């Protein structure tokens, strides 16, 4: 079976298992802080994906949120970047608004991206160079928009008295309004479908953006860090995703004046 078709079927199968496991007891643990949750379902979904990939493609590498491949030294060959549940807080508190996110890379270059909104049974997917889809419907290229006429996705916690707040607050003030969905993967595909003009976060792990980034780029969107550099799947980074016009505006008018401040901020999250 073609790798793209295999990956697509695997993500859908993982979603079926996830819906089943949700009906059973959910064990909740904390990771880096009391709001950074992981459940037995996160771990089970990742393990299912890893086991299936390794059985079918034993030579492939895997980077997974819950512990797989965090110390890779090379991106030669095929690398899968997996978030079994992006939006675990939503999963725990709402039972909705979370996604399985998978990015597949060949020698470090994008090959295919998948973001599965599990409870809505909506799969966003793209093969690099061949367009992006919502289920089986081809997504149109996203139009350019102005910041003042656009919704911007941003977690309000970043606006609550943090060091980065003075950089981010003017963007929200000058936009039409802001929204927070609690799942980076879903927010990136909301940009890809034009529901958001941009999504901005000072810190994001590669498994959060790998799948959505490939989908976004297939509809003409742009993804970089706060200093305009491409995102890499080997380390966390700051993230701006948007249509071309709004991305350019945010980078040049709001980020560039703070270049000296943002450089060490950016470097800190590569470590």
């Amino acid at each position: 079976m073609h790798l793209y078709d295999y990956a697509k079927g695997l993500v859908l199968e993982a979603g079926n298992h996830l819906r089943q496991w949700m009906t059973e007891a959910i064990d909740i643990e904390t990771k880096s802080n009391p709001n950074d949750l992981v459940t037995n379902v996160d771990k089970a979904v990742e393990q299912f994906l890893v086991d299936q990939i390794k059985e079918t493609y034993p030579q492939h590498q895997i980077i997974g949120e819950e512990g797989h491949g965090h110390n890779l030294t090379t991106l030669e060959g095929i690398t899968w970047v997996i978030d079994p549940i992006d939006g675990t807080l939503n999963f725990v508190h709402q039972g909705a608004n979370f996604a399985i996110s998978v990015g597949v890379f060949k020698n470090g270059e994008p090959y295919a991206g998948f973001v599965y909104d599990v409870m809505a049974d909506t799969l966003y997917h793209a093969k690099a160079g061949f367009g992006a889809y919502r289920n089986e419907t081809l997504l149109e290229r996203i139009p350019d928009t102005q910041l003042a006429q656009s919704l911007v996705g941003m977690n309000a916690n970043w606006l609550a008295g943090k060091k980065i707040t003075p950089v981010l607050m003017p963007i929200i003030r000058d936009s039409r309004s802001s929204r927070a969905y609690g799942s980076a993967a879903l927010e990136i595909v909301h940009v890809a479908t034009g529901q958001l003009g941009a999504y901005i976060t000072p810190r994001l792990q590669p498994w959060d953006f790998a799948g959505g980034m490939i989908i976004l780029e297939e509809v003409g969107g742009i993804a970089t860090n706060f200093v305009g550099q491409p995102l890499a799947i080997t380390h966390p980074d700051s993230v701006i995703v948007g249509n071309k016009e709004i991305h350019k505006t945010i980078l040049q008018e709001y980020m560039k004046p703070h270049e000296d401040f943002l450089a060490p901020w950016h470097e800190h999250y590569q470590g």
Side-chain angles (χ1 to χ4, degrees), residues 172-191:
I172 299 305
R173 184 189 61 225
D174 294 344
S175 71
R176 176 159 280 168
S177 191
S178 64
R179 295 290 183 270
Y181 295 90
S183 164
L186 289 178
E187 298 201 57
I188 294 170
V189 297
H190 287 337
V191 176

Side-chain angles (χ1 to χ4, degrees), residues 51-77:
D51 289 346
Q52 294 298 311
I53 294 164
K54 285 298 186 183
E55 181 178 335
T56 308
Y57 299 107
Q59 73 279 21
H60 288 189
Q61 300 186 111
I62 301 169
I63 301 172
E65 177 174 14
E66 305 311 330
H68 292 88
H70 288 197
N71 298 311
L72 288 187
T73 57
T74 177
L75 294 177
E76 290 182 11

Side-chain angles (χ1 to χ4, degrees), residues 210-221:
M213 176 179 70
I214 296 171
I215 295 165
L216 175 82
E217 290 175 347
E218 282 302 299
V219 294

Side-chain angles (χ1 to χ4, degrees), residues 147 152-160 162-175 178 199-203 226 238-240 250 254-255 258 261-262 265:
L147 181 61
V152 173
M154 189 185 297
N155 187 328
N157 290 334
W158 293 112
L159 304 175
K162 297 183 183 292
K163 290 181 179 179
I164 195 76
T165 299
V167 178
L168 302 179
M169 187 65 80
I171 301 172
I172 299 305
R173 184 189 61 225
D174 294 344
S175 71
S178 64
Y199 168 63
I200 304 168
T201 182
R203 182 178 63 204
F226 280 10
S238 55
V239 170
I240 307 170
I250 292 169
Y254 296 88
M255 298 300 178
H258 300 280
F261 169 76
L262 292 172
W265 180 275

Side-chain angles (χ1 to χ4, degrees), residues 15-198:
N16 288 336
H17 285 296
L18 197 163
R19 283 188 290 265
Q20 176 60 39
W21 291 330
M22 285 177 69
T23 65
E24 303 168 7
I26 297 177
D27 299 323
I28 302 170
E29 303 171 23
T30 60
K31 294 196 288 186
S32 62
N33 63 68
N35 298 323
D36 186 11
L37 304 183
V38 62
T39 73
N40 57 317
V41 182
D42 294 73
K43 295 176 181 179
V45 172
E46 181 165 317
Q47 195 61 55
F48 168 78
L49 290 167
V50 169
D51 289 346
Q52 294 298 311
I53 294 164
K54 285 298 186 183
E55 181 178 335
T56 308
Y57 299 107
Q59 73 279 21
H60 288 189
Q61 300 186 111
I62 301 169
I63 301 172
E65 177 174 14
E66 305 311 330
H68 292 88
H70 288 197
N71 298 311
L72 288 187
T73 57
T74 177
L75 294 177
E76 290 182 11
I78 302 295
T79 303
W80 298 64
V81 186
I82 295 169
D83 192 340
I85 300 180
D86 183 65
T88 300
L89 277 173
N90 290 350
F91 171 74
V92 169
H93 288 275
Q94 302 174 345
N97 303 314
F98 60 87
I100 298 172
S101 176
V102 174
V104 184
F105 295 79
K106 282 188 175 181
N107 298 318
E109 296 298 318
Y111 169 73
F114 307 86
V115 173
Y116 185 32
D117 185 338
V118 175
M119 302 313 291
D121 192 22
T122 301
L123 177 64
Y124 301 89
H125 56 103
K127 182 180 177 184
F130 292 88
Y133 292 80
R134 181 198 290 114
N135 292 327
E136 300 310 312
T137 301
L138 181 67
L139 295 178
E140 298 180 1
R141 293 182 70 83
I142 49 175
D144 288 335
T145 61
Q146 302 297 314
L147 181 61
Q149 284 78 47
S150 300
L151 297 178
V152 173
M154 189 185 297
N155 187 328
N157 290 334
W158 293 112
L159 304 175
K162 297 183 183 292
K163 290 181 179 179
I164 195 76
T165 299
V167 178
L168 302 179
M169 187 65 80
I171 301 172
I172 299 305
R173 184 189 61 225
D174 294 344
S175 71
R176 176 159 280 168
S177 191
S178 64
R179 295 290 183 270
Y181 295 90
S183 164
L186 289 178
E187 298 201 57
I188 294 170
V189 297
H190 287 337
V191 176
T193 58
Q195 296 175 68
L196 291 172

